[in-house]
Amino acid sequence: MNTDLETIENYVNGQLNADERARFEAALRTDPALADALTFYMLSKHVAREEAHAVRKAELDVLRRQTVPAPPFWSAPMRWVAAASLVLLLGLGWYFFQSANGPANSELAVAQLTDAYVAQHFTNLSTDMDGGSSGSKALDSLKQGINLYNKGMLVEADVVFQDVLKRQPDLESALTYAGITSLRRGNYDQAITLFHRLSQRTDLVSNPGTFYEALALLKRGQPADKGQAERLLKKVVEKRLDGKKEATTLIETLK
């Protein structure tokens, strides 16, 4: 999809209409270059905010340190006016400093990055999977669940994946697909539990469980979730787990 910077900016700022937003998010799922462009845009905005933060803080520090002695001919009322003006200026500077760098902007950026990842990677499940030693019955059930999921029948797919987990609680594919289905359905508590169980598998060559658990925590958004998600994302980066690139971007945006 040939999408310019203005379209990406309008998407981030919520200025696309419903049809335009749907087309943009559909393109995100199939166009890695567009997803990278959105990620770069969000990270660039974060860096710009940090630089503006530093500049404003330096300017305010200089202003606070300035002491201008009142000329002898200044009357008491004039000194009060000058003092009030300085207080007002400092107050306005602090207000704009907070507005440009407040937590709401960071949280919005994180939410948009998380939604973009989910839209790109979790809209469809791949039918090319490693069944391992799961057995033909479990493999057939997983394929059935995937087909249901890809048709948008998330409730039915969830039933199939959960049934597989009852028989094989530690099956990697079932934990992954059931967790993703729970995440898409907004059942974040269950998604977090399933992804955590997946992350405990130490015998896997590739394991996205820790990164997916962090995504589910960010989506749930309870008071302690942001801190826990950040700790998991740092673990992903430090141990070079699946999702390292995306985790790095999210950590920068969480600051």
Side-chain angles (χ1 to χ4, degrees):
M1 179 180 182
N2 185 14
T3 302
D4 56 24
L5 180 60
E6 183 179 359
T7 303
I8 292 176
E9 186 171 11
N10 288 340
Y11 172 76
V12 171
N13 294 330
Q15 295 176 344
L16 298 180
N17 61 41
D19 290 340
E20 291 171 335
R21 184 178 182 85
R23 285 196 298 271
F24 184 89
E25 292 179 345
L28 274 177
R29 297 192 286 269
T30 58
D31 188 347
L34 178 59
D36 287 344
L38 175 61
T39 300
F40 179 78
Y41 176 84
M42 297 301 301
L43 185 56
S44 298
K45 284 193 67 174
H46 173 74
V47 172
R49 284 198 302 271
E50 289 297 306
E51 291 177 351
H53 174 116
V55 171
R56 288 190 182 92
K57 186 175 185 299
E59 290 173 346
L60 290 173
D61 286 343
V62 170
L63 188 57
R64 290 190 185 97
R65 288 196 298 269
Q66 287 177 345
T67 55
V68 181
F73 58 85
W74 270 28
S75 64
M78 288 297 292
R79 289 197 295 273
W80 277 108
V81 170
S85 299
L86 179 59
V87 170
L88 178 60
L89 180 60
L90 288 174
L92 287 173
W94 180 249
Y95 170 78
F96 288 115
F97 169 79
Q98 289 290 84
S99 297
N101 299 279
N105 290 301
S106 175
E107 290 173 4
L108 177 60
V110 169
Q112 289 169 333
L113 283 174
T114 305
D115 289 344
Y117 185 92
V118 171
Q120 183 184 6
H121 296 275
F122 294 163
T123 297
N124 289 290
L125 298 178
S126 172
T127 55
D128 182 18
M129 62 180 178
D130 180 10
S133 58
S134 59
S136 59
K137 184 176 180 180
L139 190 58
D140 289 343
S141 295
L142 289 172
K143 289 180 178 178
Q144 178 190 1
I146 290 171
N147 288 331
L148 290 167
Y149 181 100
N150 290 344
K151 292 177 181 177
M153 303 170 67
L154 300 185
V155 174
E156 294 82 355
D158 192 32
V159 171
V160 174
F161 294 139
Q162 293 297 334
D163 183 62
V164 175
L165 283 175
K166 287 178 183 177
R167 290 180 271 119
Q168 295 181 255
D170 296 322
L171 184 60
E172 174 197 357
S173 299
L175 286 170
T176 302
Y177 297 148
I180 290 173
T181 305
S182 297
L183 180 65
R184 284 284 312 281
R185 295 185 61 201
N187 189 350
Y188 302 126
D189 291 349
Q190 181 168 282
I192 290 166
T193 298
L194 291 167
F195 289 143
H196 183 75
R197 284 167 54 186
L198 176 63
S199 71
Q200 301 308 296
R201 290 282 302 271
T202 58
D203 57 327
L204 303 177
V205 176
S206 177
N207 189 339
T210 302
F211 178 62
Y212 287 177
E213 183 181 353
L215 289 181
L217 285 163
L218 291 173
K219 289 292 291 180
R220 187 172 68 175
Q222 292 183 1
D225 287 347
K226 179 181 176 182
Q228 177 63 12
E230 189 169 6
R231 286 189 288 273
L232 291 175
L233 292 170
K234 288 179 179 178
K235 180 179 178 181
V236 170
V237 174
E238 290 166 2
K239 296 192 174 184
R240 299 179 179 275
L241 303 176
D242 284 24
K244 177 178 178 293
K245 176 183 175 182
E246 293 82 0
T248 301
T249 302
L250 283 168
I251 290 169
E252 287 296 321
T253 311
L254 281 166
K255 290 180 180 178

